[in-house]
Amino acid sequence: MATTIKSTDLDFDTIKTRLKTDLKAKSEFADYDFDAAGLSNILDVLAYNTHINGLLANFTLNEAFLNTAQLRSSVVSHAETLGYTPRSKTSSTATLNVSVIVSDSVRPATLTLPRGTTFATTTGGTAYTFRTLKAYDGSDNGQGTYSFLNEDGGDGLTIHEGTEKIKTFYVGETTDLQVYVIPDVTLDTSTLFVKVYDTASSTSFETYTNLSEAVRIDSLSKHYQIKEVPNGNFEIIFGDGKATGKAPSAGNKIEISYLSATGDVANGASVFSANSTITVNSTAYSFTVVTESASAGGAEKESIDSIRINAPIQFASQQRLVTAEDYKSQVLSRYSNLLDDVVAWGGEENVPPDFGSVYLGLKFASGTSDAVKTSTKEAIKTNLTDNLAIMTIETKFVDPVTAYLELRTSFNFDPDLTSVTSRATETSVQNKINTFAVDNLNLFGKVFRRSLLLKEIDDLDVSILNSKIDVKLQRRITPTIGQSLAYTINFPSTLATPDDVTFIITSSRFTFNSKTCFIRNVLDSTKLEVVNINGDTEVDNVGNYSTTDGVVELVGFAPTAIEGSTELKISATPANQSTVRPLRNYVLTLDTDESYATAIIDTQDTKLTL
């Protein structure tokens, strides 16, 4: 019969008490005093031994499973069995335009910006060094200006933060087990450059690339694998000479260069200066450096919780792209340092349907430049979807669409139950709402459930007797000032049916006919009108809205100014205020400017003595 062991059963005192009870029940120990010093000490030893063994068995069993393991080494090991490689520490990268002006009349046709050229910057009061990982060439424009170009012919050069380090190994006899461990927990695995020389004195070498980038592998393929070992360092593993590619031979020299990164602390740097010059005809010339995109993408090692989530998903995809979840897992596992979230869906689920396509929505980390976003999308197509996706399936990228929540909260407040004022409680409630939004929204697929938030508000303080939230969805457009145009605004859910009491659609203020106006629906109708702040109608039909499609259509809309901004806020009451479930690439977030909490004084629980 199976027995359930509770954690309290492993308590030292409980074990000792049970030992005493069991021994007292035996006739041969009937007259023993188990509280006497000698026997008590023996029982202490027995109880302690049982206690420690029980705990060790419990801890060991926990470490045997991915979901319960607490040690990073255990979680990484379980992920490895699923074919998942956790992300290492990642270097922050920036994009620069680098050029040099040579005044000498005799000039070379081209100049080369060497690999390893360093640039200095400061962010957060700390100095950092960035460097190039490739050599870039620049041609004379005829007037002595050389602009260095990347491999695609553009002038954006990628630089990486970190200290370059080199680790050298010498291959021993093939009969010996070859282990190549790089003792550096700050290694950025994406910056590895592996060279294999025939001998220690050779100058020519073969370059090995990461196995994860391979499309086809044979016995001559030159690839390596890298994995995190239990102490946090990294081990390089080469092929077996057959299924996983060529292996270095005895006597070869292996030289591995990489960047030791500081992670996310180097993000946000925007001003760079070159640490070196370039010499032409014995004259040193300084580089002109213009920042195209500030540093971003630096990250710490992948967290244990992230590994637990991503490893099973990666395993389910089996290194192929068939389902939408396959796309999500593969993109997240390879580009998680740049992305907060990914969503994918088939073209047959798109509106309108687009058969033969798959859509990817990428939510980039805050501060990521447009140049980095573009290059990441190109890398996903070139390195991932073009190689692993089913033939004839085209990958299309869509940007996240932000839908804002306007939460108007009111709560009954009994001042006799607390020493805190109603104003201070309003602030506490609004802070709770803001925190709830940060913890539960801002990613693809995150659903807003009003009851969960109401419970947290009610539990905030005993003086809050009950609470209520009116929910509105909000989208934003940037109208062309002074031109009569049509606009389509899509909401991520169905909208409420019009009635003769409340306005379902409203907008922020704008100027029209030299008056301050706003948009609202006509009561008991889906027709939209423009009214001034006095309630007088300026335009009796400026469009309509659809309840089932969640679409607001504006026709002939021609504001002459937008109050306080270039964006016009369109607010709508969802059909179901209790649950707002965004579809596809919509992301819910809170508009803190349009959300507020109001206390209603309620002394219903107060007992008066007359």
Side-chain angles (χ1 to χ4, degrees):
M1 184 177 66
T3 301
T4 301
I5 300 177
K6 300 179 181 179
S7 59
T8 53
D9 292 339
L10 300 177
D11 179 71
F12 176 84
D13 292 329
T14 301
I15 294 172
K16 184 176 179 180
T17 300
R18 289 188 173 184
L19 284 172
K20 289 164 60 175
T21 302
D22 185 61
L23 290 173
K24 284 181 179 180
K26 298 182 182 298
S27 58
E28 56 264 48
F29 297 112
D31 297 327
Y32 281 72
D33 182 5
F34 291 98
D35 293 322
L39 286 176
S40 181
N41 287 335
I42 293 174
L43 288 176
D44 283 344
V45 172
L46 292 173
Y48 180 77
N49 184 64
T50 305
H51 174 70
I52 293 299
N53 286 335
L55 290 177
L56 287 176
N58 185 56
F59 294 153
T60 302
L61 190 61
N62 282 340
E63 296 304 311
F65 299 95
L66 178 63
N67 288 339
T68 56
Q70 300 299 309
L71 298 177
R72 180 178 178 86
S73 57
S74 300
V75 174
V76 170
S77 178
H78 291 308
E80 182 184 346
T81 64
L82 298 177
Y84 182 77
T85 302
R87 186 190 67 240
S88 69
K89 207 165 191 178
T90 306
S91 301
S92 182
T93 61
T95 306
L96 306 180
N97 298 331
V98 183
S99 61
V100 63
I101 299 175
V102 178
S103 57
D104 199 314
S105 58
V106 180
R107 302 185 297 268
T110 61
L111 292 176
T112 299
L113 184 70
R115 180 184 186 278
T117 301
T118 60
F119 298 82
T121 188
T122 300
T123 181
T126 304
Y128 297 96
T129 299
F130 286 66
R131 67 187 66 239
T132 58
L133 295 183
K134 298 178 181 178
Y136 300 103
D137 295 328
S139 300
D140 188 353
N141 70 345
Q143 299 178 349
T145 299
Y146 298 78
S147 296
F148 298 99
L149 304 180
N150 59 35
E151 56 271 23
D152 297 323
D155 54 7
L157 310 185
T158 301
I159 58 173
H160 299 252
E161 184 276 330
T163 302
E164 187 170 34
K165 296 183 179 180
I166 297 176
K167 180 67 176 176
T168 303
F169 301 95
Y170 295 93
V171 183
E173 295 297 328
T174 55
T175 55
D176 298 331
L177 177 63
Q178 305 296 312
V179 179
Y180 310 105
V181 175
I182 303 174
D184 193 340
V185 298
T186 64
L187 178 152
D188 179 356
T189 57
S190 66
T191 64
L192 282 178
F193 188 55
V194 180
K195 298 185 288 187
V196 177
Y197 297 83
D198 286 338
T199 66
S201 58
S202 297
T203 56
S204 60
F205 59 86
E206 292 182 325
T207 301
Y208 282 62
T209 58
N210 198 314
L211 185 64
S212 64
E213 300 173 2
V215 179
R216 295 178 179 85
I217 304 173
D218 55 34
S219 60
L220 298 179
S221 300
K222 296 181 284 293
H223 300 294
Y224 66 85
Q225 300 177 62
I226 184 165
K227 68 175 185 177
E228 184 179 333
V229 293
N231 61 1
N233 294 326
F234 293 87
E235 180 182 356
I236 300 290
I237 302 171
F238 292 95
D240 59 3
K242 299 176 183 178
T244 54
K246 184 178 179 181
S249 304
N252 287 170
K253 182 180 77 170
I254 303 172
E255 185 179 279
I256 302 173
S257 61
Y258 64 91
L259 291 186
S260 175
T262 61
D264 56 359
V265 293
N267 291 341
S270 58
V271 179
F272 296 86
S273 60
N275 290 330
S276 58
T277 58
I278 191 168
T279 301
V280 179
N281 298 330
S282 302
T283 303
Y285 294 93
S286 299
F287 294 106
T288 300
V289 179
V290 177
T291 303
E292 184 175 302
S293 63
S295 61
E300 297 301 310
K301 278 186 175 182
E302 186 172 6
S303 68
I304 290 176
D305 289 338
S306 176
I307 298 172
R308 282 201 188 99
I309 294 171
N310 290 329
I313 298 175
Q314 169 85 353
F315 176 72
S317 72
Q318 293 292 306
Q319 198 67 9
R320 71 341 185 207
L321 300 178
V322 178
T323 68
E325 282 300 311
D326 294 340
Y327 281 84
K328 178 178 178 179
S329 65
Q330 291 289 345
V331 172
L332 266 180
S333 66
R334 301 190 186 209
Y335 301 95
S336 59
N337 61 310
L338 293 171
L339 301 172
D340 285 339
D341 199 12
V342 175
V343 67
W345 66 92
E348 72 281 0
E349 298 177 354
N350 195 59
V351 179
D354 183 13
F355 298 99
S357 299
V358 63
Y359 285 81
L360 274 179
L362 308 179
K363 188 176 187 298
F364 286 88
S366 177
T368 305
S369 67
D370 291 338
V372 172
K373 292 179 181 178
T374 300
S375 63
T376 302
K377 292 175 182 178
E378 292 173 351
I380 290 173
K381 290 197 68 173
T382 302
N383 302 328
L384 191 59
T385 61
D386 287 353
N387 293 326
L388 302 181
I390 297 174
M391 294 176 63
T392 73
I393 299 297
E394 182 183 1
T395 302
K396 297 182 178 180
F397 294 96
V398 292
D399 293 325
V401 177
T402 301
Y404 297 87
L405 287 173
E406 298 177 4
L407 303 181
R408 314 288 169 77
T409 306
S410 59
F411 59 93
N412 285 35
F413 172 76
D414 191 338
D416 293 333
L417 299 179
T418 181
S419 60
V420 181
T421 65
S422 60
R423 183 62 60 86
T425 306
E426 288 175 348
T427 301
S428 298
V429 169
Q430 190 57 50
N431 289 340
K432 172 59 70 175
I433 295 171
N434 296 345
T435 301
F436 180 89
V438 170
D439 294 340
N440 296 278
L441 304 176
N442 302 311
L443 293 175
F444 294 120
K446 290 294 185 179
V447 180
F448 171 75
R449 300 186 187 280
R450 182 169 58 178
S451 61
L452 299 180
L453 178 54
L454 287 171
K455 182 179 184 304
E456 292 196 17
I457 293 173
D458 290 344
D459 292 342
L460 194 60
D461 193 275
V462 294
S463 62
I464 300 175
L465 305 178
N466 58 274
S467 55
K468 175 187 176 184
I469 299 178
D470 292 323
V471 179
K472 282 214 166 192
L473 279 169
Q474 178 204 115
R475 291 292 318 284
R476 299 175 182 181
I477 61 172
T478 304
T480 301
I481 300 302
Q483 293 188 29
S484 179
L485 298 173
Y487 300 90
T488 300
I489 304 99
N490 295 290
F491 284 83
S493 73
T494 56
L495 302 181
T497 302
D499 57 45
D500 57 358
V501 177
T502 59
F503 295 102
I504 306 302
I505 307 295
T506 57
S507 78
S508 57
R509 295 181 177 184
F510 55 90
T511 302
F512 178 75
N513 285 344
S514 301
K515 299 176 183 177
T516 300
C517 301
F518 59 93
I519 295 171
R520 71 184 182 192
N521 68 291
V522 177
L523 288 177
D524 213 16
S525 171
T526 60
K527 184 173 69 173
L528 304 178
E529 61 181 357
V530 176
V531 297
N532 61 38
I533 56 174
N534 295 321
D536 301 324
T537 301
E538 298 290 333
V539 179
D540 62 1
N541 188 351
V542 74
N544 60 78
Y545 81 94
S546 169
T547 58
T548 56
D549 296 334
V551 176
V552 173
E553 300 275 2
L554 298 180
V555 180
F557 182 53
T560 54
I562 305 297
E563 187 175 288
S565 174
T566 59
E567 291 184 317
L568 183 71
K569 298 179 179 180
I570 308 294
S571 303
T573 303
N576 182 3
Q577 296 188 47
S578 298
T579 303
V580 180
R581 188 190 306 274
L583 299 176
R584 293 182 289 275
N585 57 320
Y586 282 95
V587 176
L588 293 179
T589 190
L590 180 68
D591 185 343
T592 54
D593 293 333
E594 300 294 337
S595 300
Y596 52 82
T598 304
I600 301 173
I601 303 300
D602 184 345
T603 57
Q604 63 181 346
D605 288 345
T606 301
K607 297 180 175 57
L608 300 178
T609 301
L610 300 178

